[in-house]
Amino acid sequence: MANIAAQRIKREFKEVVKSEEVAKCAIKVELLNDNYTELKGEIAGPPDTPYEGGNFVLEIRVPETYPFNPPKVRFITKIWHPNISSVTGAICLDILKDQWAAAMTLRTVLLSLQALLSAAEPDDPQDAVVARQYKENLEMFQLTARHWTSMYAGGPNVNTDCDSKIKRLVDMGVDDHQALVALSSYNWDIERATEQLFS
Amino acid sequence: MASSANEDVKGSTGDEGHNSETKDEEKKDDSIFECNICLDTARDAVVSLCGHLFCWPCLHQWLETRPNRQVCPVCKAAISKEKVVPLYGRGSTKQEDPREKVPPRPAGQRTEPEPGTSFPGFGFGDNSFHMSFGIGAFPFGFFTSTFNFGDPRPAAAAHGTHQHMEEQFLSKIFLWLAILFLTWLLMA
């Protein structure tokens, strides 16, 4: 790995560890290997959003050309968000692509991702199904995102109605994640979700 | 996890040439002279017109990485190589412009060819004699263009290729056009 990339990650790592956001438990970074190429990030769901109370784990890969090229970041924790793939966790955020600037750091990237959770951009979607729901039925989107947060990110808001619908599909022999995806995609209409799962 | 990594960080930064065991307060003072790209104390320091400090090698590499989008890595203001100001401290012995130094770069650099020197053929020398008709106000123009004095031309296409056939066809058309034009001139 290029020397400058490792040196920078070392310094940034110190910066994040000392930052006030860590003190407030808003962001967290851990090293996954000794040569500073793979890290694990963690952000707290911002307050007053469906992600509140959840902890979202991120995979951060630092390229050899860092900081001249952006780090590769994706969500490991499954999340329902217009700009994040509900399947792969891939993120659609300009600063992780062409708007990257060399002075940005792990800390600013994590804070930007946290900001993305509070302000979705449904017109520039990564997940078309989620974005459509966001634009057509915001309430349904918030309910779904809150339920995903409770299932995968340890969020406190369990929706018993959603849970019972998932349970009904699981009882039919469907995997619980598949059931959640089908129900989420069809606005929690259990008939259409069943139809889609068994067709 | 965090504390063990911190020790590791301190242990392996000895090659930077400045003491990493200094206290945090002293470091805070230093940090205003840190390069915004490598986060180390800026060497061969340059300042952009928007006021941001960089090592010249770092900024150079950033500008090389995005030749089409030359923006300040901090504030995204437009910047260019020509519009950065080198900083000379009192202690620095060399007073040369840090911008003159080109840092070591990754392989695969290429320079653009200079325009106009890459014509494949030069007139008579290499099998590329061209016939052409031209009518100028001065009758000798006809001869100069026919004998092609000193005028570099691209080589003719190889025999049998599609381009060769096309060229032959075009030259025939122009020959007939020229003959028609000449007869029209004589008749008029």
Side-chain angles (χ1 to χ4, degrees):
Chain A
M1 182 173 196
N3 193 33
I4 181 168
Q7 289 287 348
R8 245 203 63 155
I9 293 294
K10 274 180 207 170
R11 284 166 182 274
E12 287 185 35
F13 188 72
K14 277 201 265 181
E15 180 201 47
V16 175
V17 168
K18 277 191 223 147
S19 68
E20 53 181 299
E21 288 87 14
V22 167
K24 285 189 285 182
C25 304
I27 60 171
K28 206 160 112 186
V29 182
E30 274 176 38
L31 289 170
L32 292 186
N33 63 8
D34 289 336
N35 48 5
Y36 296 90
T37 52
E38 281 177 39
L39 298 99
K40 192 178 102 171
E42 217 175 293
I43 55 176
D48 304 320
T49 67
Y51 311 104
E52 183 171 9
N55 264 313
F56 298 89
V57 179
L58 299 145
E59 173 193 85
I60 304 170
R61 286 165 183 272
V62 182
E64 274 191 31
T65 49
Y66 187 81
F68 302 101
N69 286 306
K72 292 178 172 58
V73 188
R74 72 178 188 93
F75 274 81
I76 294 186
T77 306
K78 297 208 177 305
I79 183 168
W80 191 253
H81 186 285
N83 304 106
I84 302 159
S85 166
S86 59
V87 183
T88 63
I91 303 165
C92 178
L93 182 62
D94 56 357
I95 61 149
L96 292 176
K97 291 169 186 161
D98 55 328
Q99 291 297 311
W100 170 254
M104 290 174 181
T105 62
L106 293 175
R107 183 177 153 264
T108 58
V109 165
L110 292 180
L111 293 176
S112 301
L113 286 172
Q114 212 172 25
L116 182 69
L117 294 190
S118 358
E121 290 279 355
D123 292 322
D124 187 18
Q126 176 77 33
D127 196 308
V129 178
V130 187
R132 204 181 59 222
Q133 190 184 60
Y134 184 99
K135 285 170 105 169
E136 288 172 1
N137 194 342
L138 186 64
E139 221 164 281
M140 189 61 77
F141 161 79
Q142 285 170 337
L143 180 145
T144 311
R146 205 171 294 125
H147 199 70
W148 279 60
T149 308
S150 78
M151 277 185 78
Y152 295 113
N157 304 301
V158 181
N159 185 315
T160 46
D161 184 41
C162 294
D163 258 354
S164 66
K165 280 178 181 165
I166 292 170
K167 195 159 181 304
R168 271 165 65 188
L169 286 179
V170 170
D171 288 343
M172 287 184 228
V174 183
D175 171 68
D176 59 351
H177 179 64
Q178 266 182 311
L180 175 66
V181 170
L183 285 163
S184 303
S185 308
Y186 289 102
N187 294 343
W188 298 91
D189 180 335
I190 193 158
E191 261 128 56
R192 284 178 67 200
T194 320
E195 206 174 283
Q196 190 252 327
L197 282 168
F198 292 99
S199 63
Chain B
M1 174 73 209
S3 66
S4 71
N6 242 339
E7 277 165 27
D8 182 33
V9 166
K10 279 188 180 170
S12 55
T13 46
D15 56 333
E16 291 167 26
H18 79 117
N19 193 357
S20 58
E21 305 295 322
T22 44
K23 284 180 183 169
D24 283 353
E25 299 113 54
E26 285 173 39
K27 275 202 165 169
K28 261 180 194 164
D29 287 340
D30 269 2
S31 66
I32 59 165
F33 298 115
E34 275 172 10
C35 163
N36 279 292
I37 294 179
C38 66
L39 311 182
D40 210 335
T41 306
R43 67 199 156 89
D44 293 341
V46 292
V47 162
S48 62
L49 289 188
C50 45
H52 295 110
L53 180 72
F54 306 97
C55 303
W56 169 243
C58 292
L59 185 65
H60 182 269
Q61 198 176 340
W62 169 250
L63 294 174
E64 292 278 294
T65 313
R66 276 134 205 265
N68 307 322
R69 208 177 75 85
Q70 304 223 318
V71 294
C72 170
V74 181
C75 69
K76 294 188 176 170
I79 52 171
S80 74
K81 269 179 208 184
E82 290 72 35
K83 288 185 181 165
V84 295
V85 182
L87 286 184
Y88 306 118
R90 201 178 87 89
S92 63
T93 46
K94 289 175 287 181
Q95 286 294 308
E96 70 197 33
D97 188 340
R99 285 178 296 174
E100 308 283 301
K101 259 193 259 175
V102 177
R105 276 173 283 180
Q109 294 286 323
R110 60 183 289 277
T111 48
E112 290 299 320
E114 280 177 33
T117 55
S118 61
F119 279 123
F122 284 94
F124 296 105
D126 50 50
N127 224 1
S128 61
F129 180 71
H130 290 273
M131 271 287 272
S132 54
F133 274 94
I135 306 248
F138 197 60
F140 291 117
F142 180 81
F143 294 105
T144 50
S145 68
T146 306
F147 294 116
N148 225 356
F149 288 117
D151 218 15
R153 299 285 178 106
H159 276 268
T161 62
H162 186 63
Q163 203 194 348
H164 178 73
M165 309 247 288
E166 255 178 9
E167 279 175 10
Q168 290 293 307
F169 177 67
L170 275 174
S171 73
K172 269 179 197 154
I173 287 181
F174 284 119
L175 182 65
W176 283 109
L177 272 178
I179 289 170
L180 275 174
F181 183 66
L182 275 177
T183 40
W184 176 76
L185 270 182
L186 290 174
M187 303 281 276

